Amino acid sequence: MSTSEVAEGEQDAIEQLLVDRPHILLFDGVCNMCSMVVQYVMDRDPEAKFSFASLQSRAAAPLLVHFGIPANLDTVVYIQHGQAFTHSEAVLRACAQLSGCSAQFFAVFICVPTTVRDFGYRFVASSRYSVFGRSATCRVPSRSTRARFLDWGEFTVASAASSAPSASASSASTAPSASGSPSSTSSSSSVIISPAEQASCVSSSNMAKDD
């Protein structure tokens, strides 16, 4: 998204998305370490609460603008029930939602002052490419996990510059919830991100394997 503001017609669609998907994780799609983190979260999220999108995708762009987060900010973004968190706060809040010992283990770090936590986060983030490498392009998710990625052609937003609605223009588009069941969003004019546009920026090699 090239504009500095979310188009007026997109607000309702974004707000509905935040209701339908209360746990959204935006990550660096070309970062190998970030892809491993996404896989870690998915493996410990049996209820499929989390949805994902790469920061480079068109699906993430309106969300970043909506929350006033710069597109070039070097951080993962966790959107929890309509609130956005970045840096170490995002990681700790996201981990608190995981099953098993992960939640208890990471909960210890919440007592550490934010400035200290964020210093450690920025140090790891700044060296993630040199240590873990980066991919030339992002890889697509597997067939079984596509419904959990906003990038996969299912993020529909209303167009602010819509023309006068016609009889054939009013149609409903479906977006899968985090659990995979579809929910409907209707508008007289909409912009749908196609799979071909977003397939280049989602997830890791493990998620690219068809089940």
Side-chain angles (χ1 to χ4, degrees):
M1 174 175 290
S2 58
T3 58
S4 58
E5 296 181 357
V6 175
E8 182 179 353
E10 295 178 357
Q11 291 290 353
D12 291 342
I14 291 175
E15 290 173 6
Q16 185 60 51
L17 176 74
L18 298 178
V19 171
D20 294 341
R21 306 211 186 200
H23 303 277
I24 300 174
L25 200 62
L26 307 180
F27 65 100
D28 183 351
V30 298
C31 167
N32 291 338
M33 184 189 75
C34 301
S35 292
M36 288 189 287
V37 169
V38 169
Q39 188 64 55
Y40 180 90
V41 171
M42 293 183 72
D43 290 344
R44 290 157 183 79
D45 180 26
E47 297 177 7
K49 295 185 290 186
F50 281 88
S51 297
F52 307 91
S54 59
L55 287 163
Q56 294 88 345
S57 70
R58 286 179 60 195
L63 292 172
L64 295 175
V65 175
H66 179 76
F67 289 105
I69 300 173
N72 61 349
L73 189 64
D74 200 14
T75 177
V76 65
V77 178
Y78 174 41
I79 303 172
Q80 180 183 32
H81 297 293
Q83 285 187 291
F85 303 93
T86 62
H87 299 95
S88 64
E89 190 72 16
V91 173
L92 295 181
R93 284 180 175 269
C95 289
Q97 302 297 322
L98 303 180
S99 63
C101 343
S102 298
Q104 292 80 3
F105 174 76
F106 286 100
V108 176
F109 294 96
I110 203 69
C111 302
V112 178
T114 304
T115 52
V116 176
R117 285 192 276 114
D118 283 351
F119 177 83
Y121 179 94
R122 289 188 173 93
F123 175 78
V124 174
S126 65
S127 58
R128 69 188 186 279
Y129 291 146
S130 60
V131 176
F132 295 93
R134 62 181 295 172
S135 302
T137 59
C138 309
R139 297 183 176 93
V140 298
S142 67
R143 290 174 181 172
S144 62
T145 60
R146 286 175 186 172
R148 300 183 65 181
F149 285 81
L150 306 183
D151 314 54
W152 195 253
E154 300 292 348
F155 181 53
T156 303
V157 293
S159 172
S162 60
S163 55
S166 61
S168 62
S170 60
S171 61
S173 62
T174 60
S177 65
S179 60
S181 58
S183 58
S184 297
T185 304
S186 300
S187 64
S188 59
S189 178
S190 63
V191 178
I192 302 177
I193 310 304
S194 70
E197 290 175 305
Q198 294 312 314
S200 63
C201 240
V202 278
S203 203
S204 70
S205 55
N206 288 336
M207 285 178 274
K209 297 176 182 177
D210 289 337
D211 296 337

